[in-house]
Amino acid sequence: MLTISTPGRICLFGEHQDYLGLPVIAAAISRRVQMTGQHRSDNKIIIHLPDIGSELQMEVFATRMPYREKRDYFRSGYNVLIDKGLKFSKGIECTVNGNIPINSGTSSSSALLVTWIHFLSKMADVPRHFTSQELGELAYIAEIVEFNEPGGMMDQLSTAIGNAVYLQFEPKVVVRELKPNLGTFVLADSREPKDTIGVLKRAKFARLELIQKIRQTLPSFSLHDFNTSGQEDLKKLLTNDEYALLGGTLRNRDILREALALFESGEMSNEKLGQLLIEHHGILRDLLQISTPKIEAMMSAALAAGALGGKINGSGGGGCMFVYAPHEPEKVADAMNAVGGRSYIIRIDRGTTVHIS
């Protein structure tokens, strides 16, 4: 019997920066999806999904499977391995369970795809060993590239690799595993549906247009290396709103750099981490406008109960937020529950794992 387990993730720093080509720091969390199964004597693939009261049946193919629905992730995961030369001649039966909040910004779909691809790689006629980074890259292809969806690699790489990880995407993918000595967090689901489209209009598209506007006058402009000392010179090119968006984007870039230096210093300061999270959240709330009154109520309650800092997690407009609460996390969780959240005490966790019994 084979079991694969993969964590969800939170984005510590760099939220809404990756699609601008800027780096992020993400962390795997101790809420996971698990897949357990074995070979069958026929050619059927049967996937039991008791958490959502569903079951999926397919048959092994020697070639790529045709897609049957939008975001047909189980077939796309199979297909990317077929493209890698893996072969399957036996059926498979498995059961999927998980405790990652769904559709709330904690990468449940990416964790599921990493799990499925990892599982299939071990069930192939000739099992293949992929590194955790390779598993994340394959999941990115299966989730994003196969369906021509927008999105970066943060979710897939961070859930596959685990712990805390610095991810740079331009000019090439750079992965640096971090090992900060972090205490407990409290993840809280607002139970509000995310307004992803509305958020992206301001958070993504408005800033992409802003960058193009600057480059009409300053062709060499880059968010990677633009020195904030020259920011004032751009004021005459931009509206007040655009100038504020630019300032917030550059400050979030620099907050991440400060956090990276803190994590790599070997001298972890819980209070400094909390301050950086609060400042990052403030920019997301005030300039990108991705928070909600309920999330702000949860944040205020958590900070009053002893949390050191926190931020919204994911695309925003609903979904999850988290706070850093190395002291009395139960008290913090109770405070957020009291204003309508659904809270989970979490720790930074390892990446995708395999167990054979």
Side-chain angles (χ1 to χ4, degrees):
M1 190 75 72
L2 174 68
T3 298
I4 302 291
S5 172
T6 305
R9 71 102 185 99
I10 54 176
C11 177
L12 292 172
F13 297 99
E15 196 79 78
H16 281 281
Q17 301 277 89
D18 56 331
Y19 50 68
L20 302 177
L22 293 169
V24 300
I25 297 176
I29 60 173
S30 52
R31 312 277 306 176
R32 306 179 70 93
V33 62
Q34 178 174 289
M35 179 176 291
T36 299
Q38 57 192 351
H39 282 118
R40 292 172 56 89
S41 58
D42 55 21
N43 68 343
K44 289 185 178 180
I45 298 176
I46 302 177
I47 304 168
H48 301 285
L49 302 160
D51 292 350
I52 58 173
S54 182
E55 180 182 291
L56 178 65
Q57 292 200 21
M58 307 180 290
E59 293 184 356
V60 295
F61 272 63
T63 57
R64 289 171 59 93
M65 294 183 179
Y67 295 127
R68 302 264 181 101
E69 57 191 46
K70 186 179 181 181
R71 297 173 179 167
D72 196 347
Y73 292 149
F74 285 107
R75 290 183 175 86
S76 67
Y78 186 93
N79 286 345
V80 299
L81 292 180
I82 290 293
D83 291 346
K84 281 287 185 180
L86 277 70
K87 299 184 183 301
F88 302 88
S89 58
K90 299 177 183 177
I92 296 167
E93 187 161 3
C94 60
T95 299
V96 180
N97 300 102
N99 59 10
I100 304 172
I102 297 174
N103 296 325
S104 55
T106 46
S107 299
S108 57
S109 60
S110 297
L112 176 61
L113 251 175
V114 169
T115 303
W116 175 233
I117 291 171
H118 197 178
F119 181 85
L120 284 177
S121 71
K122 302 300 183 185
M123 300 295 280
D125 292 352
V126 179
R128 181 82 64 87
H129 172 74
F130 293 106
T131 67
S132 56
Q133 182 172 337
E134 288 171 335
L135 288 168
E137 291 168 349
L138 289 169
Y140 168 76
I141 295 170
E143 185 172 3
I144 303 298
V145 178
E146 284 287 307
F147 301 106
N148 196 29
E149 297 258 349
M153 286 189 194
M154 172 175 63
D155 296 356
Q156 299 84 11
L157 287 175
S158 57
T159 58
I161 294 169
N163 299 310
V165 61
Y166 167 88
L167 300 171
Q168 177 182 309
F169 305 103
E170 292 183 2
K172 63 178 182 178
V173 175
V174 174
V175 177
R176 283 159 62 181
E177 295 186 53
L178 308 172
K179 297 189 183 299
N181 182 21
L182 299 178
T184 50
F185 291 77
V186 181
L187 176 71
D189 190 347
S190 70
R191 297 192 272 191
E192 297 176 305
K194 293 188 296 177
D195 177 23
T196 302
I197 300 302
V199 164
L200 287 178
K201 285 182 179 178
R202 178 170 181 83
K204 180 177 182 179
F205 303 124
R207 289 189 294 165
L208 290 174
E209 292 171 4
L210 166 63
I211 293 167
Q212 290 305 313
K213 185 175 183 178
I214 295 171
R215 284 177 177 164
Q216 290 174 8
T217 303
L218 192 66
S220 62
F221 175 80
S222 169
L223 290 173
H224 290 277
D225 53 21
F226 183 76
N227 193 317
T228 52
S229 64
Q231 189 174 324
E232 187 76 18
D233 297 337
L234 299 178
K235 202 165 189 178
K236 60 182 179 294
L237 302 177
L238 307 173
T239 66
N240 290 338
D241 187 48
E242 289 170 337
Y243 187 73
L245 275 176
L246 174 64
T249 301
L250 292 171
R251 180 57 193 146
N252 274 343
R253 177 200 69 183
D254 294 341
I255 288 171
L256 179 140
R257 292 173 178 175
E258 291 179 33
L260 180 62
L262 176 66
F263 287 170
E264 293 187 327
S265 69
E267 298 179 1
M268 187 62 211
S269 166
N270 288 332
E271 291 71 22
K272 177 64 173 177
L273 174 58
Q275 292 166 7
L276 291 173
L277 288 170
I278 288 173
E279 187 179 359
H280 187 18
H281 176 75
I283 294 170
L284 297 171
R285 176 193 63 221
D286 299 335
L287 294 179
L288 299 190
Q289 299 176 7
I290 69 170
S291 191
T292 69
K294 185 172 183 182
I295 286 173
E296 291 308 308
M298 293 160 59
M299 183 70 73
S300 296
L303 295 175
L308 300 181
K311 61 176 282 291
I312 195 164
N313 187 63
S315 59
C320 278
M321 50 84 73
F322 67 84
V323 293
Y324 185 48
H327 313 297
E328 299 187 285
E330 295 85 1
K331 180 180 176 182
V332 173
D334 289 343
M336 287 195 283
N337 290 340
V339 293
R342 180 183 291 134
S343 299
Y344 313 92
I345 297 171
I346 59 171
R347 286 188 170 274
I348 305 308
D349 206 3
R350 58 185 176 171
T352 187
T353 60
V354 57
H355 177 73
I356 299 174
S357 59

